[in-house]
Amino acid sequence: RQVAILQDLQGPKIRCGKLLAEKVKIIVGKTYTLAFGTEQTEPSTIPIDYAALVEDVSVGQNVLMDDGLLAFKITSIDGEKVKVECTVGGTLKARKGVNFPDSKLSLPAMTEKDSRDLLFGVANRVDFIALSFVQSPEDVMQIKDMIRALGADIPVISKIEKIPAIKA
């Protein structure tokens, strides 16, 4: 039997920081503040490890946490803080992933870890490479150029996980 091997590159990962009680009960309809930081200092503020947060988001956009189990809508941006209202509640634990599906983030699609993983994949002759969080055609061209520079010709699968990727 022939089996193809797909290497799925992780892409950039934004996470919430350390929480006061290791977890926070997120309540539907309640307003929370997202702010760049590594540790929670007040119960209603969620630290996010993404410095360009306020520059890259807009009022009305969605925010997802913990693989989409928690959902928020951005209601305002005030200085270095982003106010969000919870639309789907639950429990948020420290270091869970944060996704901004409507926002074009100023993060590269390929991280340093992805570049190292790509070297491993090419060296081990994977059949396909999946690129996570593609935001533009340039993201795909960058990885294809890297693959060619490594002397390989491996098809790239673009994982469309953000609205801006469709608009690009």
Side-chain angles (χ1 to χ4, degrees):
R1 234 177 242 209
Q2 187 174 13
V3 176
I5 297 174
L6 169 77
Q7 180 182 30
D8 187 2
L9 300 178
Q10 177 179 324
K13 194 73 172 164
I14 300 171
R15 295 188 179 279
C16 67
K18 184 177 178 185
L19 304 174
L20 289 172
E22 295 299 317
K23 60 185 176 179
V24 174
K25 180 74 174 156
I26 303 296
I27 301 164
V28 172
K30 185 173 177 186
T31 298
Y32 297 88
T33 301
L34 306 182
F36 174 63
T38 57
E39 290 191 32
Q40 189 177 40
T41 56
E42 341 177 332
S44 64
T45 297
I46 301 169
I48 305 293
D49 69 357
Y50 183 50
L53 174 66
V54 295
E55 290 89 20
D56 287 356
V57 299
S58 300
V59 172
Q61 292 180 332
N62 294 296
V63 179
L64 303 173
M65 294 186 190
D66 194 4
D67 294 325
L69 295 176
L70 304 168
F72 305 83
K73 181 79 73 177
I74 297 174
T75 57
S76 67
I77 300 169
D78 183 20
E80 296 297 312
K81 299 178 189 249
V82 175
K83 299 282 188 185
V84 295
E85 182 179 325
C86 177
T87 56
V88 178
T91 301
L92 175 64
K93 295 180 183 173
R95 302 296 300 147
K96 287 297 181 177
V98 181
N99 186 5
F100 300 90
D102 305 329
S103 309
K104 181 159 179 25
L105 303 179
S106 50
L107 285 172
M110 291 272 300
T111 65
E112 287 183 34
K113 179 186 181 309
D114 291 331
S115 295
R116 289 190 305 274
D117 291 347
L118 178 64
L119 287 171
F120 175 85
V122 170
N124 287 280
R125 300 172 44 170
V126 298
D127 298 297
F128 301 94
I129 297 171
L131 182 60
S132 296
F133 300 106
V134 171
Q135 297 189 93
S136 70
E138 290 77 23
D139 293 340
V140 179
M141 296 312 297
Q142 177 191 13
I143 191 171
K144 286 183 174 233
D145 289 345
M146 292 172 75
I147 293 168
R148 273 193 295 280
L150 294 168
D153 183 23
I154 302 170
V156 174
I157 297 170
S158 299
K159 293 175 65 180
I160 308 299
E161 300 171 89
K162 299 176 66 55
I163 299 292
I166 296 169
K167 296 177 180 177

